[in-house]
Structures are given as C-alpha cells and as structure tokens.
Amino acid sequence: MLKLEVIDKISAGGSADRANEDALGSNDRAAFVIDGATGLGDEQLMSGAGSDAAWLAEFAAVRLATELTSGKSVKTVVHDCITQAKSDFLSASSGVLPERFAWPSASFIVLQINDNGIHLSGLGDCTAYTAVAGKTLEFSPLHGFSEVEKGWASHHIGKTGGFGDGADLLSNPETLADLRAARALQNTVQGGVWTLGLEPMAADHLVEVAMEVSGPAHSLLCSDGFSALVDTYNAYGPKTLVEAAVSGGLGSLLDELRHIEKEIDPHGQQFPRFKRSDDATAMLIRLEMDK
C-alpha cells in the first residue's frame, strides 16, 4: 500500500498589510493546498479570518482534512463544502448576496493515495509537480492560465507604470473594474473558469487525473504564488523545482521567490503580475510503499 508523508510545508502571506489567504492540510490518505482569491468587494462580511477569502480557505481546509478520510468522492466533498459555505455567507450578509465579484473564491489541488497510485484533483490554478520513475509530471486544473494572466497584467502595468509605492495594481480604477468584470463571470457557464466558491455547480467541473505510483516518488503541491518560480519567473522547471525542494527545503525556495519579487523586479516590469508578492504556499510529499 502506498504511504503519504508530508516532509515539508510552508505558507507565507504576500504582504504584511493583508491576510494570508492560502491554506493547506493533510491526513493519512490525502494532502491539499488552497489558494484564496484576493477579494474585490468593498467590505468584508465574514469576521475573524482577516478577509472573506481567508475565511473560505480556512473553512475549506477543515472540511477537506476531515471528510477526505470518509470514503466520499472529492466531488461530493467539494459540493457539500461549497453548499455550506454559501449558507454561512448568506447568513452573514443578511440573506442577500453581494455582487458576484465580491463573492469569496479559491483554487485548490488535492492529492489522494489509492491502491494503484495517486489521484490528483482540483479547481483553479494551483499546481502539482510529481517526480516519479525519472519523470516529472505537471498537473494544474487551469493549465495555461498563467500565460493569460501575464498578458493581462502586462497590459495594466503598461498603463500604470508598475506598483509604485503600493503592493498591487488594485488602486487603479480601470484595473479594478476589469478584474471585477472577470471575477463576476467566474463559476458561470459563460465564464468557464470554475473554482471553490459559492456556486455548488462548480463541483461538476472538477478536473481529475490518476497516476500509477509504486514509489518512491515526490509530489510538490503549490499555490500559484509559489509555482510562479516556474511559470512566471522562469527560475526553475518542474523537474528542477522538485529537486530543489527535496535537497534544500521550501524555505530557501521562498526566499528566492521573494528576492525576485522585491529586489530583481519590484515594479513588475520584467515579470508582469498584479501583485508585487502573492501569498505563497507549498507542501512537499514523499510517496513510498508501506513496508
């Protein structure tokens, strides 16, 4: 039987001025990373977590850690999680949901072990890099989205000139309006981008893949703020990122990530993005047969 062991994990907020909206967790059969999307509403509705997105990420983390041991499918767990989150959010908003762009949402990726290997599933732009049998396999439910986002960010940085003294581009009215328009289409058939949020139908769009793994192997689960080392900053490829995580640990990779963001390209001119530093979360997992 395959055994899952978390050998390193890290989660760091992108800015001291706002909550870390990522979360992560594991149990004997599963591990996951959750990346809450920066809120675009005018006010926070859920108290106690720093932001509505941070509340959703923490809420989902508890549900996944508890229920992914029960024999339920990920689809069922995610559907039930979203349904309850929507109910709680409705209660906090006096029964009336705000405009869709203000709904909290999150990307996530889950790794589960089974008799034949591993099962990866998720929604949004988190990524898993799995090194097995001499190959490194990349899985992201929203594969290729980073290229779209970079093009969009480049357009807005060209207009604003970069971050200036701020930590992101959200203070620019045009940028905020465009981001809100895109977020309002999330979790709709028209938009086609599905995440864990307040729309239970998103569970029907779960992206899944199975891999045969007999061990030993490593899998690195990342929020997009951490996988930026590969798909935004071009500092690593999937194979070398996993190797660096195994040999040097996730802390040194986070230091390298922040050095790029704060010292090499503090204004987003070389590597276009909407925030100088995003929340960055990763979990390194060893997979091997239980003797």
Side-chain angles (χ1 to χ4, degrees), residues 58-191:
E58 292 176 12
F59 175 85
V62 172
R63 299 281 296 220
L64 292 178
T66 302
E67 297 191 19
L68 287 178
T69 61
S70 63
K72 294 180 182 178
S73 68
V74 179
K75 178 180 176 180
T76 297
V77 172
V78 170
H79 181 277
D80 292 349
C81 176
I82 294 173
T83 300
Q84 186 61 55
K86 184 175 183 177
S87 176
D88 292 354
F89 196 77
L90 267 170
S91 296
S93 59
S94 302
V96 180
L97 288 173
E99 294 183 81
R100 290 187 70 96
F101 65 73
W103 295 11
S105 66
S107 299
F108 74 93
I109 198 159
V110 171
L111 180 150
Q112 296 169 288
I113 55 174
N114 54 45
D115 292 340
N116 300 314
I118 64 172
H119 180 267
L120 294 165
S121 58
L123 294 169
D125 58 1
C126 291
T127 302
Y129 303 104
T130 303
V132 55
K135 298 180 180 180
T136 302
L137 307 174
E138 178 179 350
F139 170 73
S140 176
L142 202 56
H143 181 69
F145 183 73
S146 62
E147 291 301 316
V148 176
E149 191 169 52
K150 281 189 286 187
W152 199 15
S154 179
H155 167 76
H156 284 281
I157 284 176
K159 290 192 170 187
T160 63
F163 302 116
D165 295 330
D168 56 45
L169 302 180
L170 296 183
S171 60
N172 178 265
E174 182 182 343
T175 300
L176 180 60
D178 284 353
L179 288 172
R180 282 178 166 180
R183 185 72 61 83
L185 292 175
Q186 199 173 98
N187 292 320
T188 68
V189 174
Q190 181 183 358

Side-chain angles (χ1 to χ4, degrees), residues 246-286:
V246 172
S247 63
L250 298 177
S252 62
L253 286 171
L254 178 66
D255 289 343
E256 185 173 354
L257 176 76
R258 296 305 191 217
H259 176 73
I260 294 170
E261 294 168 340
K262 296 177 181 179
E263 304 299 330
I264 295 177
D265 187 35
H267 298 295
Q269 299 285 351
Q270 184 177 350
F271 303 112
R273 54 201 189 273
F274 286 100
K275 289 179 278 191
R276 178 176 288 119
S277 295
D278 196 2
D279 301 336
T281 296
M283 181 182 294
L284 181 62
I285 298 160
R286 180 187 291 123

